[in-house]
Amino acid sequence: MAGKTARAVLSPEQKAYNRKRLWVEIKKHRLLYVFMLPCLLSLIVFSYIPMGGIVLAFKNYRFDLGIYGSEWAGLKHFKAFMTSPEFWITTRNTIVISIMKIIICFPAPIILALLLNELRSKKFRGLIQSTIYLPHFVSWVIMYSLLFALFSVTSGVVNKIMLSAGLQQINLLSEPKMFYGMLYGTSIWKEAGWGTIIYMAAIAGVDEEMHEAAYLDGANRFQRCIYITLPSIAFVVTTMLILNVGSVMGANFDQIMNLRTASTQTTVAQVIDTYVYDMGVDKGQYDFATAIGLFQQGVNCVLLFLSNFVVKKMSGEGFF
């Protein structure tokens, strides 16, 4: 209220001065605003303008009439999805994969960052960092090609070696029971190294005097890591955890779409994202697919705020 009152009692001269001062600051930092323009334009074009298509979820879409000319359907598509057998299958698979990724994959970059921070040789640390970053730049299409070359039952290198040694072959790509293990393993291999960038940056900001004081008090490296480094980057860890929980209803479409096979795509590998693709792109049910996508993002939004609230109550630190 005080802020509103202060703004309300500003004289016309003060308002004119504030506007003039604002334009002076903009002119002074005009290059920064120029650099911001491409980001703002891409955000508007690719994020805000497509929001107009959300109305498709409430329409019986007809191509000849267009999105806004098609008749209203209300919540028809939402009800159809929630009462279908695919709702339970896709929702269960999505939640299981996402939660297990948080449990298994989320700690991996934190542990890697802590281990890298303990390396004394800067050259060796740089070599390790470069090596573990590289998989991030390999697409999931290439990832599947590598897995196929290694674990294909007919021509995979690993299976050929195991067969020649008299061992049983591993049907990694087509066996539903092995799909989740392959999913988590490839996630760690591909993204854990890249995720360390955020945590390494946070660790670099930890006060060295705290480590020196702990060292003088007799704390070893492990104790300094647990009681100084980890608490110092707790806010960053909390923020990343909230963002991960807020995207529980999304299970990395690119990864699953490329790694699923005919024997897994209708069972363990059928998540909400792939189901949206199957309904929208393959079958042309754009209104139904839009409703599913809107439902998914709505749940993600609720989970984001809920996880932030819970973490803030528990640790006193939240994302917002």
Side-chain angles (χ1 to χ4, degrees):
M1 292 296 294
K4 292 181 180 179
T5 305
R7 286 195 294 270
V9 298
L10 287 177
S11 64
E13 292 79 9
Q14 288 174 318
K15 292 180 180 179
Y17 173 78
N18 288 342
R19 285 195 297 268
K20 184 178 179 181
R21 184 63 184 170
L22 175 63
W23 283 110
V24 168
E25 289 296 323
I26 292 175
K27 187 176 180 181
K28 180 180 178 181
H29 302 288
R30 58 185 178 276
L31 286 178
L32 296 177
Y33 288 98
V34 170
F35 283 123
M36 285 175 58
L37 279 177
C39 299
L40 290 175
L41 287 174
S42 64
L43 187 68
I44 292 170
V45 171
F46 296 108
S47 297
Y48 284 95
I49 292 178
M51 284 185 181
I54 290 176
V55 71
L56 190 60
F58 307 95
K59 296 262 190 173
N60 283 323
Y61 178 66
R62 283 181 52 182
F63 185 78
D64 57 333
L65 297 177
I67 295 177
Y68 296 101
S70 300
E71 65 176 4
W72 289 97
L75 300 176
K76 169 187 171 183
H77 303 302
F78 295 93
K79 292 178 181 177
F81 173 58
M82 292 182 184
T83 55
S84 66
E86 286 80 8
F87 172 75
W88 299 107
I89 295 171
T90 56
T91 304
R92 180 200 64 198
N93 290 342
T94 303
I95 292 175
V96 168
I97 290 173
S98 297
I99 291 178
M100 291 305 296
K101 276 189 174 181
I102 293 175
I103 296 172
I104 296 172
C105 304
F106 179 75
I110 302 172
I111 296 170
L112 266 177
L114 294 174
L115 292 174
L116 285 171
N117 185 60
E118 295 301 318
L119 292 177
R120 296 180 180 179
S121 173
K122 291 184 178 181
K123 290 184 178 179
F124 185 63
R125 182 193 303 172
L127 176 64
I128 296 298
Q129 283 179 300
S130 300
T131 303
I132 63 177
Y133 292 168
L134 285 177
H136 172 77
F137 300 100
V138 177
S139 70
W140 284 110
V141 177
I142 303 300
M143 170 66 74
Y144 179 78
S145 300
L146 291 172
L147 290 173
F148 186 84
L150 290 171
F151 297 102
S152 171
V153 177
T154 56
S155 59
V157 175
V158 173
N159 279 324
K160 282 186 176 180
I161 294 173
M162 295 184 70
L163 189 63
S164 62
L167 301 175
Q168 188 177 358
Q169 290 180 312
I170 301 174
N171 191 5
L172 183 67
L173 302 177
S174 302
E175 178 58 51
K177 293 180 180 179
M178 304 194 72
F179 179 77
Y180 286 158
M182 177 179 64
L183 209 65
Y184 307 139
T186 52
S187 293
I188 293 174
W189 182 82
K190 189 175 185 298
E191 300 297 343
W194 183 256
T196 59
I197 293 176
I198 297 172
Y199 300 110
M200 288 294 291
I203 290 172
V206 178
D207 190 356
E208 284 296 325
E209 292 184 358
M210 296 174 64
H211 282 279
E212 292 174 2
Y215 174 75
L216 293 175
D217 288 339
N220 56 38
R221 298 178 73 179
F222 180 76
Q223 290 172 327
R224 296 200 301 272
C225 176
I226 297 298
Y227 296 108
I228 296 178
T229 306
L230 266 179
S232 298
I233 65 171
F235 178 75
V236 177
V237 174
T238 301
T239 302
M240 298 304 297
L241 179 61
I242 291 171
L243 292 175
N244 275 268
V245 173
S247 59
V248 159
M249 294 299 284
N252 195 339
F253 169 79
D254 291 340
Q255 180 188 19
I256 296 176
M257 192 66 189
N258 283 285
L259 297 184
R260 70 177 186 169
T261 58
S263 60
T264 60
Q265 67 178 6
T266 56
T267 53
V268 293
Q270 184 70 299
V271 295
I272 293 178
D273 285 331
T274 57
Y275 188 59
V276 169
Y277 176 87
D278 292 340
M279 292 296 104
V281 178
D282 284 353
K283 298 185 179 179
Q285 298 181 22
Y286 304 114
D287 42 14
F288 185 59
T290 304
I292 301 170
L294 184 57
F295 163 78
Q296 177 190 26
Q297 296 307 318
V299 175
N300 275 338
C301 185
V302 172
L303 289 174
L304 178 66
F305 283 95
L306 183 62
S307 61
N308 181 75
F309 174 78
V310 172
V311 173
K312 200 169 186 179
K313 285 291 184 182
M314 293 176 62
S315 64
E317 296 180 341
F319 185 55
F320 47 84

